[in-house]
Amino acid sequence: MEHGCLIFRFPLDGRYLGWGAVRNGIRFDVPVKARMISDDIDALAQMAIEGGGITRLAAFIAEPLIAQGKLVALFTPPFAADEPLEVDPLEFYLCVRHRRELTPKVLAFQQFLTETLPAHWRA
């Protein structure tokens, strides 16, 4: 990708958030040219607003900014069947060290998350 990209780096291990895509059922990583790398998603959003480049943001950050006209979505789910390229969705996991830690409180939290996530986030 020739655009200057604003890349998110995971703070715990320094990995970069890849820009995965799916074309014709095949998943691949889109090569990007980093203009800026940060572990602060809000800083990346602000840089994009200021014209610093394009970035991959979580929907809960991007959607209000798009609604306010501060950002423009390049790819948005759900995708039409004839779209040649789809953005690879991020996956979220609820992790515990051991199954015995799946206490009623943790299970209630899992149920809450599942029920409150927007329908298009649930696969």
Side-chain angles (χ1 to χ4, degrees):
M1 182 178 292
E2 294 299 317
H3 300 283
C5 298
L6 310 172
I7 309 295
F8 180 77
R9 178 180 19 217
F10 294 99
L12 292 178
D13 61 10
R15 288 180 304 119
Y16 299 133
L17 174 62
W19 290 29
V22 178
R23 179 176 284 146
N24 299 323
I26 300 171
R27 189 203 174 282
F28 61 95
D29 287 320
V30 177
V32 295
K33 184 170 96 179
R35 176 174 288 164
M36 175 66 74
I37 299 167
S38 177
D39 64 1
D40 184 335
I41 196 168
D42 293 313
L44 293 174
Q46 189 60 42
M47 284 185 251
I49 290 168
E50 299 295 329
I54 61 174
T55 190
R56 182 174 184 186
L57 297 173
F60 68 90
I61 298 286
E63 287 174 353
L65 298 172
I66 293 167
Q68 296 167 20
K70 294 181 178 181
L71 290 178
V72 175
L74 299 179
F75 301 98
T76 56
F79 301 97
D82 60 348
E83 288 281 329
L85 181 68
E86 297 179 7
V87 175
D88 190 24
L90 297 176
E91 295 179 349
F92 293 90
Y93 299 90
L94 177 67
C95 300
V96 293
R97 290 182 293 181
H98 193 276
R99 292 187 67 76
R100 69 175 171 261
E101 293 177 355
L102 288 172
T103 62
K105 187 184 292 188
V106 172
L107 292 172
F109 178 63
Q110 177 185 19
Q111 182 178 354
F112 168 77
L113 288 177
T114 301
E115 291 173 355
T116 57
L117 288 174
H120 66 274
W121 287 17
R122 294 182 231 140

